[in-house]
Amino acid sequence: MKKLTSRIDKERLALGIAAPLLAVVAALVVTALVILATGKNPGDAFSDMVTYGFASDSQVYILNKATTYYLAGVAVAIGFRMNLFNIGVDGQYRLAAFIAAVLGGALTVPGWIAIPLIIVAAMVTGALWAAIAGILKVTRGVSEVISTIMLNSIATAIIAYLLQPGKLARLEQGGTVVSTKPLPSSSYFFTIDAGPAGQLWGFVVIAVLVGVAYWFVLGRTRFGFDLRTVGQSESAAGASGVSVKKMVATSMIISGAVAGLIGMPTLLNDSHAFSNDFPAGIGFTGIAIALLGRNNPVGIALGALLWGFLERTTNHLEFQGYDKEILGVIQGVIVLCVVIAYEVVRRYGLKRQQQKVGAELAAQAAATKKQEVAS
């Protein structure tokens, strides 16, 4: 039996390596065919992407973008681990960033007090907005997909109403941009000087801490075990004494709190105000990144870096004469290839384990029968 376990573990390791390799190869092949269909040489495109993507200024850009994308991926993954589809991450982070920007612009306290207050305000806003969907699900059975989509629209409407001159915003840059009152310089988050390559956002440190907390809580605590148990089987979790409704509501609140952090790198390290051109759609990007990373903190980090790399390099390809839509095509192809590859490998691995366990049981049954005949 020990030998069987050893073989299964080795196969599991091999399958774990095979899945991402298969996804990468499939994505490269499909992407090459797409580029070829546009009349361009895919080899030149890939070479240009690698060269430009590994330039020092590109690396700083990718890390800054990956900081935001990683937080989005973790926020979505928390729901995924509970079989909850928090489609409302986009609305949660935008509303949280808006409230935090308004608060930050109004504060007159020192930065070491203002920055934590801004971050806490964003997390509380995101948590409260996500809690609406969680409460509706556990009390009325409303699908979190429907409620969070509607909450996205409501959040957008609230921001549009309040982000107007005379309310909580004002005209900037010659009357072309509407934004909240800028944060005072004392409320700027620290940056790391990378020389000619630019400034690395200090919020990457917070993103790393969030990843460590996500790994520890879900993998090393009773709460994380209960959360994963409910995600795998609500009936089994309920039978073991876990409050399923409480875990559903709690996971939505935590997911929303992390979603509240998504806009903080941009607000505290870059724009220092919320305007009508504040980044949108990052919550939906987080869904793709969580899928790429298989809800694993390290996998999500790699997915975020990959997404930042693709955004940087494919935007550059547009200036080289390639179609600008190529970014969306490549991103979609990668997500599809990853999902399909992991599912194919998962089914193959499950089939192989069933075959081996069946063979072992059959061998044991034959041995037992042989002993009975001999006696």
Side-chain angles (χ1 to χ4, degrees):
M1 196 68 182
K2 185 176 180 181
K3 291 182 179 179
L4 173 62
T5 304
S6 177
R7 287 198 300 270
I8 292 177
D9 289 341
K10 289 180 179 178
E11 284 196 5
R12 184 177 301 172
L13 176 62
L15 291 173
I17 296 173
L21 285 178
L22 177 61
V24 169
V25 171
L28 287 174
V29 171
V30 176
T31 302
L33 292 175
V34 171
I35 296 175
L36 196 61
T38 64
K40 302 291 184 179
N41 187 335
D44 293 341
F46 291 148
S47 176
D48 186 78
M49 289 173 66
V50 171
T51 302
Y52 186 72
F54 282 92
S56 57
D57 57 337
S58 293
Q59 291 176 8
V60 171
Y61 176 93
I62 291 167
L63 285 172
N64 288 340
K65 283 292 184 178
T67 299
T68 301
Y69 293 154
Y70 182 74
L71 293 170
V74 171
V76 173
I78 292 171
F80 279 172
R81 296 300 293 267
M82 278 281 294
N83 275 336
L84 294 173
F85 293 88
N86 185 5
I87 309 298
V89 167
D90 203 69
Q92 291 155 19
Y93 99 81
R94 283 178 57 79
L95 185 61
F98 174 71
I99 297 299
V102 172
L103 174 65
L107 289 175
T108 57
V109 296
W112 62 273
I113 298 177
I115 291 175
L117 286 177
I118 293 170
I119 294 174
V120 170
M123 294 182 69
V124 170
T125 302
L128 291 176
W129 202 245
I132 298 174
I135 292 172
L136 287 174
K137 183 174 180 65
V138 300
T139 60
R140 291 291 182 265
V142 178
S143 169
E144 73 279 3
V145 175
I146 302 299
S147 59
T148 51
I149 289 175
M150 296 304 296
L151 285 168
N152 277 345
S153 299
I154 295 172
T156 299
I158 291 174
I159 294 171
Y161 175 75
L162 296 176
L163 192 66
Q164 297 184 54
K167 290 187 172 66
L168 296 178
R170 60 187 187 180
L171 289 174
E172 299 285 350
Q173 297 182 8
T176 60
V177 176
V178 180
S179 71
T180 58
K181 182 181 178 181
L183 273 61
S185 58
S186 61
S187 296
Y188 293 2
F189 210 76
F190 75 92
T191 58
I192 301 171
D193 186 14
Q199 299 288 327
L200 181 64
W201 295 350
F203 215 83
V204 66
V205 177
I206 303 298
V208 171
L209 293 176
V210 168
V212 172
Y214 171 72
W215 165 79
F216 179 79
V217 172
L218 263 69
R220 296 292 184 272
T221 66
R222 173 60 187 271
F223 171 80
F225 175 78
D226 290 345
L227 188 147
R228 288 182 284 111
T229 302
V230 173
Q232 292 173 0
S233 174
E234 291 188 3
S235 58
S240 63
V242 178
S243 175
V244 174
K245 290 185 176 180
K246 181 180 178 181
M247 293 302 298
V248 169
T250 302
S251 63
M252 283 297 294
I253 291 171
I254 295 175
S255 178
V258 176
L261 292 173
I262 296 172
M264 294 301 96
T266 302
L267 178 64
L268 297 176
N269 275 131
D270 185 29
S271 66
H272 307 300
F274 189 100
S275 62
N276 50 8
D277 60 356
F278 200 83
I282 297 178
F284 299 106
T285 300
I287 297 174
I289 291 173
L291 289 172
L292 286 174
R294 305 296 292 179
N295 302 326
N296 180 281
V298 176
I300 295 171
L302 295 176
L305 289 169
L306 174 62
W307 215 262
F309 174 83
L310 289 175
E311 182 177 312
R312 178 69 169 180
T313 55
T314 51
N315 285 337
H316 175 68
L317 287 180
E318 183 180 350
F319 296 100
Q320 306 302 313
Y322 294 86
D323 295 329
K324 63 180 180 180
E325 292 81 9
I326 198 70
L327 170 60
V329 172
I330 293 176
Q331 289 175 337
V333 165
I334 289 175
V335 173
L336 283 174
C337 288
V338 167
V339 172
I340 294 171
Y342 271 98
E343 183 60 21
V344 168
V345 171
R346 184 190 71 83
R347 292 187 180 187
Y348 175 79
L350 182 62
K351 183 178 179 180
R352 287 288 299 162
Q353 288 190 17
Q354 290 173 342
Q355 289 175 344
K356 285 188 173 294
V357 172
E360 181 69 16
L361 292 175
Q364 290 180 354
T368 302
K369 186 176 182 180
K370 186 177 181 180
Q371 288 179 350
E372 291 176 352
V373 172
S375 61

